Amino acid sequence: MIPFNRPPYTGNEDQFVTAAMRSAKMSGDGDFTIRCQTWFEAKLSCKKALLTPSCTQALEMAALLVGIEPGDEVIMPSYTFVSTANAFVLRGAKIVFVDVRPDTMNIDESLIEAAITAKTKVIVPVHYAGVACEMDVIMDIAARHKLYVIEDAAQGMMSTYKGRPLGTIGHFGAYSFHETKNYTSGGEGGLLLINEETFVSRAEIIREKGTNRSQFWRGMVDKYTWVDIGSSYLPSELQAAYLYGQLTVADEINVDRLNTWNEYYKAFGDLSAKIELPFVPQGCQHNAHMFYLKLDGLESRTKFIAGLKESNVMSVFHYVPLHSSPCGKVFGRMHASDKFTTRESEKLVRLPIWYGMQNKEREQVIQSVLTVLDRI
Ligand SMILES: *Cc1c(COP(=O)(O)O)cnc(C)c1O
């Protein structure tokens, strides 16, 4: 049986997790958290990187930091994970969903401007499959309308847009280290990137339950106290240690995934009459987070997934568009028309890909896909 995903594990994690277990401090902001954050700040050249227990929580922190108030509007694609929307809905925002581009499944940047109203506060581009949104256009719109940009880069670690790491282009970027992503901090984890100095000290306070404990540890204040709203957005040192083990071989993980992705692309390249393959625009370097195919509609996709399952290959589809979900109807609205979101989402199927995938596993997937496509 070929599973859809295996959580990344390199063997490097053990020594660091053991060290964290034996250290005198396992709670947040210990040695491994600092080591990871320093690694990200250097690798991504961002102002501040703060580990969080999940990407969901990194997005929640960003929503707090930009000061979302009830009635504010937030623009995002409907084709995304619920957390992209929930983080803002929790603060009382209304979500304005914008259609996706069928080639990348990213928000259609040409439709954003018309969705802006006097209440709009934030644009949230989601870099689907680790392939960048058209950030130059989005940043230009945001600057002209004085909006914040919070990049949902959950899937985008190691990807770049015109040479710039995803998550470092907007005001904030959020990454995920869930076990289905390219790097994991032991199943769950996340990271908030803060790209403007002005937000850093408040971010540390919000993350520490609304206290100035970080300043206290640095000797900047002589006692710590409740100074703002906040929550607990600190991961355990065990999570950070696990992640650190993967960061020490970050490039190896990336290259391995890209190899599998390229093998798939080569094997399916000639089938363009039957399926659509992922598209990576010029100037975007992707991270092989996902390999998807698009069939010609829901019916073929259902048959395709069932056919693969019969040959012991697990494949999955993705997001039911948020604007047609029960909660999305209450907290959001679709701007203009849903020309591509629903139609394209019903075509898409994700193939197994993970770090350390064996040649024979890859071959089994390729052969099964070719056989099943022949039949449907
Ligand atoms: C995985 C994912 C999230 C949520 O990440 P968690 O770490 O599980 O909270 C948010 N947005 C997108 C686009 C994702 O793919």
Side-chain angles (χ1 to χ4, degrees):
M1 173 71 80
I2 308 285
F4 167 66
N5 178 58
R6 288 214 173 100
Y9 173 69
T10 66
N12 246 357
E13 298 84 350
D14 302 44
Q15 53 178 315
F16 298 117
V17 172
T18 304
M21 289 194 297
R22 292 178 183 167
S23 74
K25 179 173 165 63
M26 290 175 74
S27 65
D29 272 346
D31 183 40
F32 285 107
T33 300
I34 304 303
R35 280 204 228 179
C36 288
Q37 292 178 175
T38 306
W39 191 92
F40 287 120
E41 283 161 13
K43 175 86 183 168
L44 307 171
S45 357
C46 61
K47 287 265 166 2
K48 190 76 197 170
L50 294 173
L51 282 195
T52 55
S54 66
C55 178
T56 300
Q57 283 158 300
L59 290 164
E60 286 176 21
M61 280 186 68
L64 282 162
L65 284 163
V66 297
I68 295 288
E69 286 166 17
D72 286 345
E73 291 182 357
V74 179
I75 292 174
M76 65 179 65
S78 166
Y79 187 68
T80 184
F81 189 60
V82 288
S83 296
T84 318
N86 254 334
F88 300 93
V89 167
L90 281 169
R91 312 302 310 154
K94 188 94 186 163
I95 308 299
V96 178
F97 296 114
V98 167
D99 210 5
V100 291
R101 295 164 43 148
D103 59 352
T104 57
M105 300 304 279
N106 283 335
I107 191 167
D108 184 339
E109 67 280 359
S110 72
L111 300 176
I112 293 175
E113 196 144 21
I116 294 172
T117 72
K119 294 178 177 168
T120 307
K121 196 168 224 168
V122 185
I123 305 170
V124 189
V126 179
H127 305 296
Y128 186 69
V131 175
C133 296
E134 199 42 75
M135 289 307 292
D136 279 349
V137 176
I138 293 171
M139 294 311 291
D140 174 63
I141 295 169
R144 283 189 285 105
H145 293 271
K146 299 192 165 37
L147 305 176
Y148 293 111
V149 175
I150 299 173
E151 298 177 67
D152 184 337
Q155 305 172 9
M157 183 55 68
M158 304 299 263
S159 293
T160 56
Y161 171 79
K162 299 185 181 173
R164 301 169 71 185
L166 303 191
T168 65
I169 303 162
H171 298 82
F172 300 93
Y175 279 109
S176 173
F177 303 121
H178 185 261
E179 67 179 17
T180 53
K181 303 303 200 286
N182 294 20
Y183 303 87
T184 186
S185 41
E188 303 278 355
L191 176 73
L192 178 66
L193 301 188
I194 301 166
N195 302 319
E196 284 189 14
E197 190 68 47
T198 46
F199 293 105
V200 172
S201 61
R202 183 149 189 252
E204 289 177 339
I205 288 167
I206 283 172
R207 184 161 166 267
E208 271 280 18
K209 302 98 184 164
T211 73
N212 56 358
R213 181 143 83 177
S214 307
Q215 294 168 355
F216 173 72
W217 286 122
R218 286 199 292 263
M220 291 160 68
V221 291
D222 58 11
K223 56 182 183 304
Y224 85 86
T225 183
W226 185 16
V227 294
D228 201 338
I229 57 169
S231 186
S232 183
Y233 294 122
L234 298 157
S236 147
E237 276 287 284
L238 294 181
Q239 283 174 287
Y242 195 101
L243 179 62
Y244 189 70
Q246 305 206 334
L247 297 184
T248 57
V249 288
D251 287 327
E252 184 189 314
I253 293 176
N254 195 40
V255 167
D256 180 272
R257 291 188 75 106
L258 282 164
N259 282 342
T260 295
W261 197 99
N262 291 333
E263 289 295 319
Y264 282 160
Y265 199 89
K266 250 195 322 205
F268 307 135
D270 294 337
L271 300 170
S272 55
K274 277 202 158 161
I275 53 169
E276 285 169 63
L277 292 171
F279 172 67
V280 181
Q282 261 221 316
C284 298
Q285 173 59 54
H286 75 101
N287 61 354
H289 172 61
M290 193 189 295
F291 193 96
Y292 66 78
L293 303 174
K294 281 194 198 162
L295 290 107
D296 62 12
L298 189 54
E299 204 180 314
S300 343
R301 185 184 69 179
T302 307
K303 282 190 200 150
F304 180 79
I305 292 175
L308 281 189
K309 198 173 171 193
E310 275 170 34
S311 44
N312 288 323
V313 173
M314 304 307 290
S315 61
V316 298
F317 57 82
H318 225 173
Y319 315 132
V320 174
L322 295 182
H323 75 281
S324 40
S325 69
C327 220
K329 285 181 192 160
V330 175
F331 296 114
R333 64 178 155 82
M334 188 81 193
H335 167 76
S337 62
D338 169 11
K339 202 165 160 202
F340 295 114
T341 300
T342 303
R343 194 185 85 185
E344 296 299 310
S345 71
E346 290 179 347
K347 296 177 177 179
L348 189 145
V349 56
R350 305 168 63 188
L351 299 183
I353 186 166
W354 62 80
Y355 164 71
M357 197 170 186
Q358 302 296 302
N359 268 334
K360 63 177 197 326
E361 294 171 319
R362 208 148 51 202
E363 268 314 299
Q364 188 183 334
V365 174
I366 290 171
Q367 284 316 316
S368 305
V369 167
L370 296 176
T371 311
V372 174
L373 280 177
D374 236 15
R375 277 209 321 257
I376 59 172

